[in-house]
Amino acid sequence: MIARLKNKLKNKLKSICGTTQLEQEIEKKNLQISYLQNCLFDLKDNLKKDGKINVVFVCHRPQIWCALETVCDAMLNDSDFNVKIVAVPNKKQLPKYGLGHEFYESEGAEEFFTQRYPCTVLGYDYETKEWLDLYSLKPDYVFFQTPYNICRPQIYQSDVVSTFARLCYVHYGMPFMNGTIADETTPPDFFKDVTYHFIEFPEMESYYGAQAKKFGYEKNYNQILSGYPKLDKAGFDQKRIGNWNFKDDNKKFRILWTPRWNTGEGNCTFFEYKDKLIELAESDDRIELLFRPHPQAFAEYVASGAMSKQEVSSYIKRYEDCPNAAIDYSGDYLNNFYTADLLISDESSIIPEFFLTKNPIIMTSHETHFNCFAQKLEKGFYFADNWKQINDQINLLINGEDEKSAIREEIINNEFYMPPNGAGYEIMSFLKNN
C-alpha cells in the first residue's frame, strides 16, 4: 500500500513540477509517508510507556529564546513533561544565492543552550552534515523559534514534522506592526501545519483568524489566548547588571539604540544616525551608548550593497575604541533593557517589552506600520524626524524632563494582557490538560 501511494504521488507531481522541484517534492512526500508509517507502528507497540508529555524546542537563535523560556521552564518544573531542546544552525541569505542553498551557519545556539539546559541535544553534525531526526525523540509537541520553513532543511519543515507531532507556535517578537510586515511573520506554508497558536493579547485574534480563513487552514488551526511569555520576566524586582561599561558606582545616562535591520521597508534609520550617535558618545561623557543590532543586520547591509565588509569593520572599531560605547551581541537583552535610561528605536517588536521598564522611548521611523496594539502605546512615545529633534530630546531627558512618564504608566496599567501566573505557565497548563 505504501509503495502504491508513493508511485501515485510521483506520477501526479511529474505533471506539475520541474525535475529538481519534483525530486524535492517526492523526497518530502516519502518522508511524510515514512513518518506516518512509523507512527502507526509506535501506536501498535505502545512505545511511550512512561505516559509523559514529550515536548521538543528546536532552537537556532539565543537572542529570541526569551519568547519560549518561561514555557520551557514551566514544563521542566512539572513532572508530567519530558523536555528536549534541539540546538541547530540556521540558513542565512547569501549573495547570488539568497536562501536557495543548503549552507547552515551557527548563531551560537549550541553553546548557549548546552551551558544552560542539560536537556539540550545537538541537532546538526557539522562534519557529516547530518541532522538529528526529530522523530527519534518521540515528540507530542514541537515548538520552532521562527515560522520560516525556507531557513530549515526539508526534514525540519513544518509539513514533515507535523506528520508525527503537533506543532505549537509562540511569536518570536511581540506583534507591533501591520500590513506586509505582519503578513511576513505569519507565512501560510508554516501556519497551515500549526495545531496550537498561542496569542499574545485579544486584539490579535481577529487578525490571525482572518489569515487562517484567507489561506484556508482554519480547520485544524486553534488560537489560544495565553499572553506573551517574553513579558513574564518584565518588571521583576531583581538585580540587573546589563552589558554597560560603567556600572552603578559610576553610572552615566544610558542610551540603548535598536535600529531596524531591513532597509527595504521604509522604516530603517540606521544610516541616518549611525555616525551621529557614536559621535555623541565620543564627545559627551554624560552618556553611555549601547548599540544592539539585529543578528542579521550587518549581513543584510553588506548583501544589499549599503555597506562593504571593510566599512562594517571600521564602524565596529569605533565602538571598540570609545570608552562609553559598546555593541551588544548577547543572547539575553532584558538586563540591558532594565538598566537603560532611554531607548532610541525604529519600529520593532521589542518596543512593548521595553515599554514595561516605564522608561522613555524615542521613535525614529519615518514610516510606521503600527497595529492596533502599537497605536495604544504610541501615546507614550517621543517621535523624532531628524537628528536635532533626537539630540534635543536626549538633553531634556538627561535633565529629568520626561513629560510622558505618567502616560506610559497609565498605558502599562490598562493595555497589557498579562495572566497572573505568567504566559509560560498558561501554555504549559493548556498542553498538560488538553
Side-chain angles (χ1 to χ4, degrees), residues 10 18 56 80 83 85 98 134 170 199 231 271 289 332 363 388:
K10 182 175 181 179
V56 170
D80 287 334
V83 176
I85 297 174
L134 295 180
V170 174
I199 309 301
L231 303 184
F271 292 96
L289 174 66
D332 180 9
M363 176 68 65
K388 183 179 185 305

Side-chain angles (χ1 to χ4, degrees), residues 48-54 79-82 140:
K48 284 184 58 180
K49 297 178 180 179
D50 62 3
K52 292 192 175 185
I53 303 167
N54 293 340
S79 60
D80 287 334
F81 287 88
N82 282 326
D140 297 296

Side-chain angles (χ1 to χ4, degrees), residues 188-253:
D189 74 311
F190 176 85
F191 278 90
K192 68 179 176 58
D193 302 314
V194 170
T195 301
Y196 298 122
H197 183 187
F198 294 99
I199 309 301
E200 306 81 9
F201 43 88
E203 292 89 339
M204 292 305 297
E205 291 179 296
S206 60
Y207 169 74
Y208 294 138
Q211 289 290 95
K213 187 174 182 179
K214 176 181 178 181
F215 293 103
Y217 57 79
E218 70 269 29
K219 183 178 179 181
N220 298 314
Y221 165 82
N222 302 276
Q223 296 185 54
I224 313 299
L225 179 62
S226 61
Y228 193 43
K230 276 191 180 184
L231 303 184
D232 289 348
K233 292 190 173 184
F236 280 10
D237 184 16
Q238 58 182 331
K239 179 69 174 177
R240 296 183 185 271
I241 300 173
N243 296 328
W244 306 93
N245 291 330
F246 295 88
K247 304 307 178 185
D248 289 336
D249 57 348
N250 190 21
K251 185 176 178 295
K252 298 175 182 289
F253 187 83

Side-chain angles (χ1 to χ4, degrees), residues 257-284:
W257 181 38
T258 58
R260 191 132 181 94
W261 66 280
N262 192 325
T263 58
E265 299 169 342
N267 56 1
C268 172
T269 63
F270 171 76
F271 292 96
E272 290 181 59
Y273 303 127
K274 69 179 182 69
D275 294 320
K276 294 291 186 182
L277 279 163
I278 186 63
E279 286 169 4
L280 178 66
E282 291 167 340
S283 62
D284 191 340

Side-chain angles (χ1 to χ4, degrees), residues 175-178 345-348 351-352 355 359-385 402-412 415-416:
F176 192 74
M177 292 167 273
N178 61 16
S345 184
D346 297 331
E347 59 180 356
S348 167
I351 287 175
F355 203 96
N359 289 329
I361 298 168
I362 298 178
M363 176 68 65
T364 51
S365 295
H366 298 311
E367 180 181 337
T368 58
H369 311 79
F370 291 165
N371 65 16
C372 54
F373 181 66
Q375 289 169 17
K376 296 178 180 180
L377 269 57
E378 69 174 321
K379 299 174 185 177
F381 301 157
Y382 295 102
F383 287 87
D385 291 324
D402 183 4
E403 63 183 28
K404 296 196 174 185
S405 176
I407 297 174
R408 292 194 301 274
E409 184 91 32
E410 182 180 359
I411 293 171
I412 290 170
E415 303 299 345
F416 281 81

